[in-house]
Structure formats: structure tokens, C-alpha cells
Amino acid sequence: MDTLKQESIEWAVTHIRKYGDTDIFPIPFEYEAIKHSWQSLKDDISKIDIATYEGRPFQRMLVPKQSGGYRVAIQLDPIDTIVYTALAYEAAELVEASRIPLESKVACSYRVEIGTKGELFRKNNGWDDFHTKSQELAQSGEYSFIVTADIADFFNQIGHHRVRNALELAGVEKNRAKNIENLLMNFTRGQSRGIPIGPSASAIFSEACLSDVDNFLLRKGYTHTRYVDDFRLFCKDQVQAQKVLHDLTEYLYTAHRLALQTHKTQFYSVNDFIDKELIDPEELENKSQEEKLEALHEFFGQYQDPDDVDEPDIDSVIRKNLVELFQACLNSIPIHLGTAKYLLRRATTLRTGLLRDVVLNNIDKLAPVMREAAQYISATTNQRHAAEVGRKFISGCLSTDYEFLPFVQIWLLEVLQQKMSTPLEGDIAKLCEKYKSKLGQRPYALLARERGYNDWVREQKETWLNNSPWDRRAIIWAAKALSNDEMNYWLKRVQNAGDILDKAIAESVLNTKM
């Protein structure tokens, strides 16, 4: 048998609770539930034989891309996310040791630094190193041309056999590497390509796969830096630029059967590269802030020492600057999603509502970053304004061309149910019914738990086994709405039905209802 260490399972759950199960979807309630029944569930997971494990049903959705297309994203079943994350944890340090050294700033993305509180990567995910190295090389005077390129549909095209080979080369035990390959194939339902987009664990396996590409380019004498599948290649002249692109294209196909995105492959003169590509959202914000603070200090300097400017005045400058940058980002064609994400996350951290009206009026443009937009709205909406903001958010989502997407629907309902279930209960119920064909019973079950719809739960529990696993678990979770006697009788049956996660959720409800 090939089983996970209990230490790895514990770490995986700690990681998921702190960072989420993906960077795309809302965090499922299941992780809250299993806190109350963790010991028995951990024992069950530790008995899983990875060699024969087939995986459980996942959720799959299409997520809008900046280019106007879509990418396929899946949310693994919580048990599978724990297993997948624990597998990555056990391989992570071996993979890290096999990569180009961090100090070279060649392979910049997701450098491993495991911590006891669930940390998997260094605090900086590597973008700063990528940006800094690009600046250093571009401004060194040694290079006249830069080629930028990234791999087409990278995560969905990674070959499982290449993952296995890369893990073996990194020192992962042969059978474990084979079992990870088989598990990935189970996730893709028999297809030999693609790893889940969103979970942190996928970064470990994707970086393992690209290690040989970095080594190939270095061995050929080329200068480059890379962030995930985004390559920047620095060349002495245009001839070398053509040659490095040729060699990279050929190697990716020969070794990995991967291809570069044609429309994103660009040749730049060094000056054009500096002007058009060396855009860092944090640097842009800081530069703009410095200019405004200088003006502020100059203004106050007419009346007082600049060092006496109050912190609230500085804070207001930062907040105003976010609004101006965000509006400029939305007005750009196409919208720069990296900058939009950064500014939304920054505004969420600051808990400033200054961007809220702009966000609510631009849901159509922000659909590719719906997660960040929704989390921002949720974080900056208090009970006093909940109904007003909620209705505007509903209106914005219903009027967007992307309203038909489950990805948009699920985030709309997530925000409404988190912050607005009391004033907008009727609106939420109608949306749950409207989206039932795409999202199933799960949203309404969560509403039933929150609002105490015991009649609905009573009706559903008669046929709970007929539902999909994701719906079934939500119906079990909604048992909180029942009387103690009715709930106890039903959940005892659920616990004996055989599914380890159903059992854990039933146990959690029983523990917390008492």
C-alpha cells in the first residue's frame, strides 16, 4: 500500500484552512464541517491506498479569460483536495532542491518554503523576482531584443507521464510518482493530460515539469527568466531572438508536446519592452503614491513641517490613488487583469469602500476576476448597506453578458448568502431556483440551513441519496434546521451509509447542534 503520513494530512488541512482549496472558487463549507469531526476523518484518509484510489466527483466550470476565451477550472472534492495537497507536501522539498537555485532568478515562481502554519511557498510568490530580474537584464545594456512567450493552455496540457518522470528525476520514490500519475489521470477521467487549475498543489507538479526547460535554455547558452509558463528571453540581436524562439518551441514540442501561444509571442526592442512590459502594479501604485505624497507634503509645508503630516492624511492619499489607478485599469483596452486583481486585493485589505460603486457598475469587465471582485464587495459591505449593495450586485450580475456562467452565479450567491441573507432572503431564494439547473440543490440547501427552512430539509431528506455528492452534503449540512429528535434519527442513518465525508458532516452537525 501507498499511504499518506498523518503529519502530511494534518499539514494539508492546515494549508487549506489558511489559503483555501483553490484561488478560483468559493471555499466549500465542508472544510468548516470537518473541523468538528477531524480525528475520525483523518484516520479514514490515512487508510486510503494512493495506488488504487480513483478520486471523487469534482465541480468543473469555465472561467472567462482576458482574451475573451475561457479556461477550464475544476474544484476537487474536499477529500481529494486534502489527498492532493498532502501528496504535493511530501514531494515539495525534493522538487525544490531539483530546480535552478532561487538566487539566479531564473525559475522565479512558487519557490517552496514549508511552514508549520500551512505555508507551502515563500511569502513572495516570485512575481517580484521575475519583475526585478527582467528590469536588471533589460537595463544592463547587454541585450537589444527580448522575446516574450507563454505556453498555450499550460495546466490543461501538462502530460501526466511527464509529471511522473519529473518527480522521479527530483527524487520522489518511483511507485509514488507512478501513483500520482494515475491519480491525475483519474481526475481527468482517463485523459492523459491536464492537472487541476487552482489548487496550490498543482504549482509543485507544474514547476517540476518545467525544470528541464529551464536547464535546456541555460545549457544552450540563452539568458531567460520565467514566471510559471511566462518566459522572457533576452537576446543580443534579432538573429539570436529568432533562434531562441525556434529552439524553445522545438524543445517544448519534442519533450512535452506543448506549444507556445502564437498571439502572445512578441519580439520587442529593449526600449519597447521596458515601456510596454515592465509594468508592476505595486510599483505603479507606489510611484503614484510618492508623487501625491510629495505634493501633499509641499502643501502642508506652507503651514507646518512635512514630517508632521498625520497618518490619516497619508492613508487618504493611498485610498484615493487606488480609485484613480483602478479606473484607469478599467478604461484600458484590453483591461490589465493582473493590475485589476492587485488593486482589488489591496482595496480588500484596506477595507475601503471607495471602489465599490466602480466595481458594481463594471461587472461585465470584471467577470474574469469575479473572485476578487466578489471578495472585495463582501469585505467592504456592512449590515447597514447590505440590502442596497446586494441589489446593485444582483443587477450588475444579471445584466452582464457572462450571467449565464455558473462561475459568475456561484460567486453572486456566495456574497449574498454571506452578507445579505437577512434583507435579501426572497431575492436569494429566487436566484437559487433560477440557477438550480446549473448549480443544483446546493445553494438552496445552504440558504435552508441559514434561514431554518425545516419543511424543505424534511422533504429533501427522504431522497437525499438520489442527489449528487456536492448537493447531498449540503442537504446533510442543512439538517441543523430540523428538530433535535428528527435530526438525530436521520443523521445516524447518514453516518452508517458508508461515505466518509457524508459521515464527517453528519457528525459535525450533531456535535454543533448539541
Side-chain angles (χ1 to χ4, degrees):
M1 285 182 66
D2 179 12
T3 57
L4 293 163
K5 300 172 185 174
Q6 290 221 356
E7 167 204 334
S8 307
I9 300 169
E10 282 279 10
W11 181 92
V13 169
T14 301
H15 172 83
I16 293 163
R17 285 176 184 160
K18 184 171 183 177
Y19 297 101
D21 63 330
T22 76
D23 59 0
I24 298 171
F25 299 105
I27 300 173
F29 74 84
E30 283 87 343
Y31 296 105
E32 174 65 27
I34 65 178
K35 282 197 300 188
H36 303 283
S37 53
W38 175 235
Q39 190 56 51
S40 60
L41 185 60
K42 180 176 68 173
D43 291 342
D44 287 333
I45 295 173
S46 68
K47 295 172 185 173
I48 291 174
D49 184 359
I50 305 301
T52 58
Y53 185 60
E54 294 186 359
R56 297 159 60 92
F58 51 74
Q59 296 195 110
R60 183 180 65 196
M61 296 181 190
L62 295 184
V63 179
K65 295 171 67 175
Q66 179 175 354
S67 62
Y70 297 92
R71 58 181 172 140
V72 179
I74 70 170
Q75 186 169 37
L76 295 173
D77 177 280
I79 298 294
D80 287 355
T81 302
I82 295 169
V83 168
Y84 189 51
T85 305
L87 286 168
Y89 169 80
E90 293 187 1
E93 291 183 333
L94 289 170
V95 169
E96 177 64 18
S98 71
R99 299 171 69 189
I100 302 297
L102 168 68
E103 296 74 23
S104 68
K105 296 181 183 177
V106 169
C108 297
S109 42
Y110 299 105
R111 304 304 303 226
V112 172
E113 193 171 282
I114 293 174
T116 57
K117 296 181 179 178
E119 301 91 345
L120 181 55
F121 305 114
R122 299 180 74 215
K123 191 172 182 180
N124 178 338
N125 65 11
W127 173 264
D128 285 354
D129 285 346
F130 181 62
H131 180 71
T132 301
K133 185 67 171 181
S134 298
Q135 279 185 319
E136 290 173 358
L137 292 171
Q139 295 169 357
S140 68
E142 296 182 35
Y143 306 100
S144 300
F145 285 88
I146 293 93
V147 181
T148 63
D150 61 22
I151 298 170
D153 201 19
F154 175 51
F155 277 78
N156 284 322
Q157 294 302 318
I158 292 175
H160 300 157
H161 198 62
R162 294 299 307 150
V163 174
R164 174 182 173 180
N165 292 343
L167 292 176
E168 282 192 41
L169 288 172
V172 174
E173 198 272 325
K174 182 173 64 175
N175 286 332
R176 169 59 64 84
K178 178 183 177 182
N179 293 337
I180 290 174
E181 176 188 14
N182 291 338
L183 181 61
L184 290 172
M185 192 169 293
N186 289 333
F187 287 164
T188 57
R189 299 301 184 256
Q191 301 295 320
S192 61
R193 287 184 174 274
I195 64 176
I197 296 174
S200 300
S202 289
I204 297 297
F205 302 124
S206 65
E207 289 297 331
C209 281
L210 288 181
S211 250
D212 69 308
V213 181
D214 292 325
N215 285 319
F216 166 79
L217 290 169
L218 292 176
R219 183 174 56 79
K220 297 284 283 186
Y222 297 125
T223 301
H224 81 288
T225 185
R226 175 180 63 79
Y227 183 80
V228 192
D229 64 333
D230 184 353
F231 290 82
R232 289 173 174 173
L233 306 125
F234 294 79
C235 308
K236 302 288 187 183
D237 51 40
Q238 197 162 0
V239 173
Q240 188 184 43
Q242 287 289 356
K243 191 171 188 307
V244 68
L245 180 61
H246 168 274
D247 290 351
L248 175 60
T249 302
E250 182 175 52
Y251 185 79
L252 284 172
Y253 179 78
T254 302
H256 294 269
R257 289 299 188 266
L258 294 172
L260 296 173
Q261 293 198 57
T262 304
H263 71 283
K264 286 192 173 182
T265 301
Q266 300 287 338
F267 288 80
Y268 290 102
S269 68
V270 67
N271 291 331
D272 284 347
F273 174 78
I274 291 170
D275 290 342
K276 297 177 182 178
E277 286 294 308
L278 286 185
I279 301 172
D280 179 72
E282 185 171 4
E283 188 177 278
L284 179 65
E285 182 196 4
N286 290 337
K287 180 180 179 182
S288 190
Q289 282 174 204
E290 287 170 7
E291 292 170 351
K292 288 183 174 67
L293 287 173
E294 186 177 336
L296 184 68
H297 281 191
E298 183 177 337
F299 172 78
F300 277 97
Q302 298 174 44
Y303 309 100
Q304 61 186 55
D305 191 304
D307 291 336
D308 294 333
V309 176
D310 291 337
E311 187 64 32
D313 295 317
I314 295 176
D315 189 58
S316 68
V317 171
I318 294 172
R319 291 166 191 268
K320 183 181 179 183
N321 189 47
L322 282 173
V323 176
E324 293 179 4
L325 286 174
F326 191 67
Q327 191 62 65
C329 176
L330 288 175
N331 292 338
S332 64
I333 301 175
I335 180 175
H336 193 283
L337 292 185
T339 304
K341 278 186 179 182
Y342 170 80
L343 295 173
L344 284 169
R345 289 170 180 170
R346 185 88 162 95
T348 300
T349 301
L350 291 170
R351 294 293 194 272
T352 173
L354 291 175
L355 298 186
R356 195 164 51 231
D357 285 343
V358 182
V359 170
L360 292 170
N361 292 329
N362 288 276
I363 297 297
D364 200 59
K365 289 184 178 181
L366 293 171
V369 291
M370 188 67 179
R371 173 181 181 262
E372 286 74 19
Q375 289 178 334
Y376 166 73
I377 291 169
S378 181
T380 59
T381 301
N382 57 35
Q383 288 303 310
R384 189 156 57 96
H385 299 110
E388 177 190 359
V389 173
R391 290 191 182 98
K392 286 182 178 179
F393 191 36
I394 292 171
S395 176
C397 289
L398 292 181
S399 61
T400 176
D401 292 343
Y402 293 106
E403 190 255 343
F404 70 96
L405 288 177
F407 175 67
V408 171
Q409 297 166 5
I410 200 170
W411 273 111
L412 169 60
L413 287 172
E414 174 74 8
V415 173
L416 296 177
Q417 291 186 334
Q418 268 190 5
K419 302 299 289 273
M420 302 142 188
S421 64
T422 299
L424 298 179
E425 181 179 342
D427 300 87
I428 297 170
K430 288 177 183 176
L431 288 170
C432 289
E433 287 294 334
K434 179 178 180 180
Y435 298 147
K436 184 177 176 180
S437 63
K438 297 282 185 70
L439 303 182
Q441 296 275 33
R442 188 175 173 94
Y444 203 95
L446 298 179
L447 181 65
R449 174 186 164 90
E450 176 68 23
R451 308 307 300 171
Y453 297 164
N454 58 73
D455 57 314
W456 186 88
V457 180
R458 186 174 296 119
E459 180 183 28
Q460 297 301 317
K461 74 183 180 64
E462 296 302 314
T463 56
W464 69 282
L465 274 171
N466 297 339
N467 290 276
S468 72
W470 289 77
D471 286 353
R472 192 174 69 222
R473 294 194 296 266
I475 293 168
I476 298 167
W477 188 234
K480 177 189 174 186
L482 299 172
S483 67
N484 281 343
D485 181 63
E486 187 174 12
M487 179 194 70
N488 288 340
Y489 179 76
W490 177 43
L491 293 187
K492 294 297 184 186
R493 292 171 51 208
V494 171
Q495 287 180 301
N496 294 325
D499 185 88
I500 61 173
L501 189 49
D502 288 358
K503 176 184 174 184
I505 292 169
E507 184 179 329
S508 173
V509 177
L510 289 168
N511 288 341
T512 54
K513 184 75 183 254
M514 293 177 178

